[in-house]
mmCIF file with all atom_site columns, all heavy atoms in Angstrom:
data_model
loop_
_atom_site.group_PDB
_atom_site.id
_atom_site.type_symbol
_atom_site.label_atom_id
_atom_site.label_alt_id
_atom_site.label_comp_id
_atom_site.label_asym_id
_atom_site.label_entity_id
_atom_site.label_seq_id
_atom_site.pdbx_PDB_ins_code
_atom_site.Cartn_x
_atom_site.Cartn_y
_atom_site.Cartn_z
_atom_site.occupancy
_atom_site.B_iso_or_equiv
_atom_site.pdbx_formal_charge
_atom_site.auth_seq_id
_atom_site.auth_comp_id
_atom_site.auth_asym_id
_atom_site.auth_atom_id
_atom_site.pdbx_PDB_model_num
ATOM 1   N N   . LEU G 1 76  ? 108.766 108.445 154.570 1.00 0.00 ? 76  LEU G N   1
ATOM 2   C CA  . LEU G 1 76  ? 107.706 107.578 155.088 1.00 0.00 ? 76  LEU G CA  1
ATOM 3   C C   . LEU G 1 76  ? 107.721 107.469 156.611 1.00 0.00 ? 76  LEU G C   1
ATOM 4   O O   . LEU G 1 76  ? 106.690 107.678 157.259 1.00 0.00 ? 76  LEU G O   1
ATOM 5   C CB  . LEU G 1 76  ? 107.798 106.187 154.462 1.00 0.00 ? 76  LEU G CB  1
ATOM 6   C CG  . LEU G 1 76  ? 106.747 105.176 154.910 1.00 0.00 ? 76  LEU G CG  1
ATOM 7   C CD1 . LEU G 1 76  ? 105.345 105.654 154.573 1.00 0.00 ? 76  LEU G CD1 1
ATOM 8   C CD2 . LEU G 1 76  ? 107.014 103.823 154.279 1.00 0.00 ? 76  LEU G CD2 1
ATOM 9   N N   . ARG G 1 77  ? 108.861 107.163 157.204 1.00 0.00 ? 77  ARG G N   1
ATOM 10  C CA  . ARG G 1 77  ? 108.927 106.987 158.663 1.00 0.00 ? 77  ARG G CA  1
ATOM 11  C C   . ARG G 1 77  ? 108.470 108.249 159.395 1.00 0.00 ? 77  ARG G C   1
ATOM 12  O O   . ARG G 1 77  ? 107.671 108.185 160.331 1.00 0.00 ? 77  ARG G O   1
ATOM 13  C CB  . ARG G 1 77  ? 110.339 106.607 159.104 1.00 0.00 ? 77  ARG G CB  1
ATOM 14  C CG  . ARG G 1 77  ? 110.445 106.379 160.615 1.00 0.00 ? 77  ARG G CG  1
ATOM 15  C CD  . ARG G 1 77  ? 111.888 106.151 161.077 1.00 0.00 ? 77  ARG G CD  1
ATOM 16  N NE  . ARG G 1 77  ? 112.578 105.132 160.330 1.00 0.00 ? 77  ARG G NE  1
ATOM 17  C CZ  . ARG G 1 77  ? 112.542 103.825 160.570 1.00 0.00 ? 77  ARG G CZ  1
ATOM 18  N NH1 . ARG G 1 77  ? 111.808 103.360 161.562 1.00 0.00 ? 77  ARG G NH1 1
ATOM 19  N NH2 . ARG G 1 77  ? 113.223 102.971 159.839 1.00 0.00 ? 77  ARG G NH2 1
ATOM 20  N N   . LEU G 1 80  ? 104.678 108.653 159.118 1.00 0.00 ? 80  LEU G N   1
ATOM 21  C CA  . LEU G 1 80  ? 103.968 107.671 159.936 1.00 0.00 ? 80  LEU G CA  1
ATOM 22  C C   . LEU G 1 80  ? 104.033 108.064 161.411 1.00 0.00 ? 80  LEU G C   1
ATOM 23  O O   . LEU G 1 80  ? 103.041 107.950 162.138 1.00 0.00 ? 80  LEU G O   1
ATOM 24  C CB  . LEU G 1 80  ? 104.540 106.274 159.721 1.00 0.00 ? 80  LEU G CB  1
ATOM 25  C CG  . LEU G 1 80  ? 104.171 105.607 158.398 1.00 0.00 ? 80  LEU G CG  1
ATOM 26  C CD1 . LEU G 1 80  ? 104.926 104.307 158.227 1.00 0.00 ? 80  LEU G CD1 1
ATOM 27  C CD2 . LEU G 1 80  ? 102.673 105.386 158.308 1.00 0.00 ? 80  LEU G CD2 1
ATOM 28  N N   . GLU G 1 96  ? 103.103 95.137  148.279 1.00 0.00 ? 96  GLU G N   1
ATOM 29  C CA  . GLU G 1 96  ? 104.233 94.805  149.155 1.00 0.00 ? 96  GLU G CA  1
ATOM 30  C C   . GLU G 1 96  ? 105.282 93.935  148.476 1.00 0.00 ? 96  GLU G C   1
ATOM 31  O O   . GLU G 1 96  ? 106.444 93.978  148.850 1.00 0.00 ? 96  GLU G O   1
ATOM 32  C CB  . GLU G 1 96  ? 103.742 94.159  150.451 1.00 0.00 ? 96  GLU G CB  1
ATOM 33  C CG  . GLU G 1 96  ? 103.055 95.159  151.354 1.00 0.00 ? 96  GLU G CG  1
ATOM 34  C CD  . GLU G 1 96  ? 102.852 94.647  152.755 1.00 0.00 ? 96  GLU G CD  1
ATOM 35  O OE1 . GLU G 1 96  ? 103.684 93.838  153.236 1.00 0.00 ? 96  GLU G OE1 1
ATOM 36  O OE2 . GLU G 1 96  ? 101.859 95.037  153.380 1.00 0.00 ? 96  GLU G OE2 1
ATOM 37  N N   . LEU G 1 99  ? 107.883 96.240  147.135 1.00 0.00 ? 99  LEU G N   1
ATOM 38  C CA  . LEU G 1 99  ? 108.566 97.159  148.043 1.00 0.00 ? 99  LEU G CA  1
ATOM 39  C C   . LEU G 1 99  ? 109.868 96.556  148.541 1.00 0.00 ? 99  LEU G C   1
ATOM 40  O O   . LEU G 1 99  ? 109.976 95.346  148.728 1.00 0.00 ? 99  LEU G O   1
ATOM 41  C CB  . LEU G 1 99  ? 107.682 97.470  149.255 1.00 0.00 ? 99  LEU G CB  1
ATOM 42  C CG  . LEU G 1 99  ? 106.421 98.289  149.007 1.00 0.00 ? 99  LEU G CG  1
ATOM 43  C CD1 . LEU G 1 99  ? 105.661 98.467  150.313 1.00 0.00 ? 99  LEU G CD1 1
ATOM 44  C CD2 . LEU G 1 99  ? 106.752 99.634  148.401 1.00 0.00 ? 99  LEU G CD2 1
ATOM 45  N N   . LYS G 1 100 ? 110.827 97.405  148.788 1.00 0.00 ? 100 LYS G N   1
ATOM 46  C CA  . LYS G 1 100 ? 112.081 96.943  149.384 1.00 0.00 ? 100 LYS G CA  1
ATOM 47  C C   . LYS G 1 100 ? 111.823 96.542  150.825 1.00 0.00 ? 100 LYS G C   1
ATOM 48  O O   . LYS G 1 100 ? 110.918 97.057  151.483 1.00 0.00 ? 100 LYS G O   1
ATOM 49  C CB  . LYS G 1 100 ? 113.125 98.058  149.328 1.00 0.00 ? 100 LYS G CB  1
ATOM 50  C CG  . LYS G 1 100 ? 113.557 98.401  147.928 1.00 0.00 ? 100 LYS G CG  1
ATOM 51  C CD  . LYS G 1 100 ? 114.625 99.468  147.947 1.00 0.00 ? 100 LYS G CD  1
ATOM 52  C CE  . LYS G 1 100 ? 115.059 99.813  146.536 1.00 0.00 ? 100 LYS G CE  1
ATOM 53  N NZ  . LYS G 1 100 ? 116.052 100.874 146.511 1.00 0.00 ? 100 LYS G NZ  1
ATOM 54  N N   . SER G 1 101 ? 112.623 95.632  151.346 1.00 0.00 ? 101 SER G N   1
ATOM 55  C CA  . SER G 1 101 ? 112.407 95.105  152.695 1.00 0.00 ? 101 SER G CA  1
ATOM 56  C C   . SER G 1 101 ? 112.479 96.183  153.764 1.00 0.00 ? 101 SER G C   1
ATOM 57  O O   . SER G 1 101 ? 111.759 96.116  154.762 1.00 0.00 ? 101 SER G O   1
ATOM 58  C CB  . SER G 1 101 ? 113.399 93.988  152.997 1.00 0.00 ? 101 SER G CB  1
ATOM 59  O OG  . SER G 1 101 ? 114.723 94.479  152.935 1.00 0.00 ? 101 SER G OG  1
ATOM 60  N N   . ASP G 1 102 ? 113.326 97.211  153.579 1.00 0.00 ? 102 ASP G N   1
ATOM 61  C CA  . ASP G 1 102 ? 113.411 98.259  154.590 1.00 0.00 ? 102 ASP G CA  1
ATOM 62  C C   . ASP G 1 102 ? 112.118 99.074  154.656 1.00 0.00 ? 102 ASP G C   1
ATOM 63  O O   . ASP G 1 102 ? 111.701 99.508  155.736 1.00 0.00 ? 102 ASP G O   1
ATOM 64  C CB  . ASP G 1 102 ? 114.620 99.172  154.360 1.00 0.00 ? 102 ASP G CB  1
ATOM 65  C CG  . ASP G 1 102 ? 114.624 99.859  153.003 1.00 0.00 ? 102 ASP G CG  1
ATOM 66  O OD1 . ASP G 1 102 ? 114.057 99.307  152.043 1.00 0.00 ? 102 ASP G OD1 1
ATOM 67  O OD2 . ASP G 1 102 ? 115.197 100.953 152.915 1.00 0.00 ? 102 ASP G OD2 1
ATOM 68  N N   . VAL G 1 103 ? 111.432 99.258  153.537 1.00 0.00 ? 103 VAL G N   1
ATOM 69  C CA  . VAL G 1 103 ? 110.160 99.979  153.528 1.00 0.00 ? 103 VAL G CA  1
ATOM 70  C C   . VAL G 1 103 ? 109.084 99.143  154.210 1.00 0.00 ? 103 VAL G C   1
ATOM 71  O O   . VAL G 1 103 ? 108.318 99.654  155.027 1.00 0.00 ? 103 VAL G O   1
ATOM 72  C CB  . VAL G 1 103 ? 109.746 100.349 152.089 1.00 0.00 ? 103 VAL G CB  1
ATOM 73  C CG1 . VAL G 1 103 ? 108.362 100.984 152.056 1.00 0.00 ? 103 VAL G CG1 1
ATOM 74  C CG2 . VAL G 1 103 ? 110.775 101.283 151.451 1.00 0.00 ? 103 VAL G CG2 1
ATOM 75  N N   . VAL G 1 104 ? 109.035 97.854  153.929 1.00 0.00 ? 104 VAL G N   1
ATOM 76  C CA  . VAL G 1 104 ? 108.076 96.956  154.587 1.00 0.00 ? 104 VAL G CA  1
ATOM 77  C C   . VAL G 1 104 ? 108.335 96.942  156.092 1.00 0.00 ? 104 VAL G C   1
ATOM 78  O O   . VAL G 1 104 ? 107.404 96.973  156.893 1.00 0.00 ? 104 VAL G O   1
ATOM 79  C CB  . VAL G 1 104 ? 108.154 95.530  153.992 1.00 0.00 ? 104 VAL G CB  1
ATOM 80  C CG1 . VAL G 1 104 ? 107.280 94.560  154.772 1.00 0.00 ? 104 VAL G CG1 1
ATOM 81  C CG2 . VAL G 1 104 ? 107.767 95.545  152.523 1.00 0.00 ? 104 VAL G CG2 1
ATOM 82  N N   . SER G 1 105 ? 109.590 96.941  156.485 1.00 0.00 ? 105 SER G N   1
ATOM 83  C CA  . SER G 1 105 ? 109.951 96.955  157.905 1.00 0.00 ? 105 SER G CA  1
ATOM 84  C C   . SER G 1 105 ? 109.446 98.224  158.593 1.00 0.00 ? 105 SER G C   1
ATOM 85  O O   . SER G 1 105 ? 108.936 98.169  159.713 1.00 0.00 ? 105 SER G O   1
ATOM 86  C CB  . SER G 1 105 ? 111.462 96.842  158.043 1.00 0.00 ? 105 SER G CB  1
ATOM 87  O OG  . SER G 1 105 ? 111.852 96.937  159.374 1.00 0.00 ? 105 SER G OG  1
ATOM 88  N N   . ILE G 1 106 ? 109.580 99.356  157.932 1.00 0.00 ? 106 ILE G N   1
ATOM 89  C CA  . ILE G 1 106 ? 109.087 100.625 158.497 1.00 0.00 ? 106 ILE G CA  1
ATOM 90  C C   . ILE G 1 106 ? 107.583 100.535 158.730 1.00 0.00 ? 106 ILE G C   1
ATOM 91  O O   . ILE G 1 106 ? 107.082 100.884 159.799 1.00 0.00 ? 106 ILE G O   1
ATOM 92  C CB  . ILE G 1 106 ? 109.421 101.809 157.563 1.00 0.00 ? 106 ILE G CB  1
ATOM 93  C CG1 . ILE G 1 106 ? 110.924 102.088 157.575 1.00 0.00 ? 106 ILE G CG1 1
ATOM 94  C CG2 . ILE G 1 106 ? 108.644 103.064 157.971 1.00 0.00 ? 106 ILE G CG2 1
ATOM 95  C CD1 . ILE G 1 106 ? 111.383 103.084 156.517 1.00 0.00 ? 106 ILE G CD1 1
ATOM 96  N N   . ILE G 1 107 ? 106.869 100.053 157.740 1.00 0.00 ? 107 ILE G N   1
ATOM 97  C CA  . ILE G 1 107 ? 105.408 99.946  157.851 1.00 0.00 ? 107 ILE G CA  1
ATOM 98  C C   . ILE G 1 107 ? 105.019 99.012  158.985 1.00 0.00 ? 107 ILE G C   1
ATOM 99  O O   . ILE G 1 107 ? 104.132 99.308  159.782 1.00 0.00 ? 107 ILE G O   1
ATOM 100 C CB  . ILE G 1 107 ? 104.799 99.467  156.515 1.00 0.00 ? 107 ILE G CB  1
ATOM 101 C CG1 . ILE G 1 107 ? 105.000 100.536 155.438 1.00 0.00 ? 107 ILE G CG1 1
ATOM 102 C CG2 . ILE G 1 107 ? 103.330 99.109  156.677 1.00 0.00 ? 107 ILE G CG2 1
ATOM 103 C CD1 . ILE G 1 107 ? 104.681 100.068 154.034 1.00 0.00 ? 107 ILE G CD1 1
ATOM 104 N N   . ASN G 1 108 ? 105.687 97.873  159.082 1.00 0.00 ? 108 ASN G N   1
ATOM 105 C CA  . ASN G 1 108 ? 105.334 96.871  160.094 1.00 0.00 ? 108 ASN G CA  1
ATOM 106 C C   . ASN G 1 108 ? 105.669 97.304  161.514 1.00 0.00 ? 108 ASN G C   1
ATOM 107 O O   . ASN G 1 108 ? 105.156 96.732  162.470 1.00 0.00 ? 108 ASN G O   1
ATOM 108 C CB  . ASN G 1 108 ? 106.009 95.542  159.764 1.00 0.00 ? 108 ASN G CB  1
ATOM 109 C CG  . ASN G 1 108 ? 105.413 94.895  158.538 1.00 0.00 ? 108 ASN G CG  1
ATOM 110 O OD1 . ASN G 1 108 ? 104.268 95.135  158.185 1.00 0.00 ? 108 ASN G OD1 1
ATOM 111 N ND2 . ASN G 1 108 ? 106.204 94.079  157.873 1.00 0.00 ? 108 ASN G ND2 1
ATOM 112 N N   . ASN G 1 109 ? 106.518 98.312  161.682 1.00 0.00 ? 109 ASN G N   1
ATOM 113 C CA  . ASN G 1 109 ? 106.891 98.782  163.020 1.00 0.00 ? 109 ASN G CA  1
ATOM 114 C C   . ASN G 1 109 ? 105.859 99.717  163.648 1.00 0.00 ? 109 ASN G C   1
ATOM 115 O O   . ASN G 1 109 ? 105.995 100.076 164.808 1.00 0.00 ? 109 ASN G O   1
ATOM 116 C CB  . ASN G 1 109 ? 108.253 99.473  162.990 1.00 0.00 ? 109 ASN G CB  1
ATOM 117 C CG  . ASN G 1 109 ? 109.387 98.489  162.891 1.00 0.00 ? 109 ASN G CG  1
ATOM 118 O OD1 . ASN G 1 109 ? 109.284 97.355  163.343 1.00 0.00 ? 109 ASN G OD1 1
ATOM 119 N ND2 . ASN G 1 109 ? 110.471 98.910  162.270 1.00 0.00 ? 109 ASN G ND2 1
ATOM 120 N N   . PHE G 1 110 ? 104.846 100.108 162.909 1.00 0.00 ? 110 PHE G N   1
ATOM 121 C CA  . PHE G 1 110 ? 103.846 101.027 163.432 1.00 0.00 ? 110 PHE G CA  1
ATOM 122 C C   . PHE G 1 110 ? 102.540 100.301 163.700 1.00 0.00 ? 110 PHE G C   1
ATOM 123 O O   . PHE G 1 110 ? 102.072 99.497  162.909 1.00 0.00 ? 110 PHE G O   1
ATOM 124 C CB  . PHE G 1 110 ? 103.606 102.181 162.444 1.00 0.00 ? 110 PHE G CB  1
ATOM 125 C CG  . PHE G 1 110 ? 104.715 103.189 162.441 1.00 0.00 ? 110 PHE G CG  1
ATOM 126 C CD1 . PHE G 1 110 ? 105.817 103.014 161.632 1.00 0.00 ? 110 PHE G CD1 1
ATOM 127 C CD2 . PHE G 1 110 ? 104.662 104.285 163.270 1.00 0.00 ? 110 PHE G CD2 1
ATOM 128 C CE1 . PHE G 1 110 ? 106.848 103.930 161.638 1.00 0.00 ? 110 PHE G CE1 1
ATOM 129 C CE2 . PHE G 1 110 ? 105.681 105.218 163.283 1.00 0.00 ? 110 PHE G CE2 1
ATOM 130 C CZ  . PHE G 1 110 ? 106.790 105.041 162.461 1.00 0.00 ? 110 PHE G CZ  1
ATOM 131 N N   . LYS G 1 115 ? 95.896  97.730  156.700 1.00 0.00 ? 115 LYS G N   1
ATOM 132 C CA  . LYS G 1 115 ? 96.265  97.366  155.328 1.00 0.00 ? 115 LYS G CA  1
ATOM 133 C C   . LYS G 1 115 ? 95.070  96.617  154.739 1.00 0.00 ? 115 LYS G C   1
ATOM 134 O O   . LYS G 1 115 ? 94.569  95.696  155.364 1.00 0.00 ? 115 LYS G O   1
ATOM 135 C CB  . LYS G 1 115 ? 97.497  96.482  155.315 1.00 0.00 ? 115 LYS G CB  1
ATOM 136 C CG  . LYS G 1 115 ? 98.749  97.166  155.794 1.00 0.00 ? 115 LYS G CG  1
ATOM 137 C CD  . LYS G 1 115 ? 99.926  96.235  155.634 1.00 0.00 ? 115 LYS G CD  1
ATOM 138 C CE  . LYS G 1 115 ? 100.774 96.256  156.868 1.00 0.00 ? 115 LYS G CE  1
ATOM 139 N NZ  . LYS G 1 115 ? 101.849 95.311  156.844 1.00 0.00 ? 115 LYS G NZ  1
#
Side-chain angles (χ1 to χ4, degrees):
L76 180 61
R77 181 186 309 275
L80 286 173
E96 288 194 31
L99 292 179
K100 293 182 180 178
S101 61
D102 59 332
V103 175
V104 174
S105 176
I106 289 170
I107 294 169
N108 290 335
N109 284 331
F110 285 87
K115 294 185 225 175

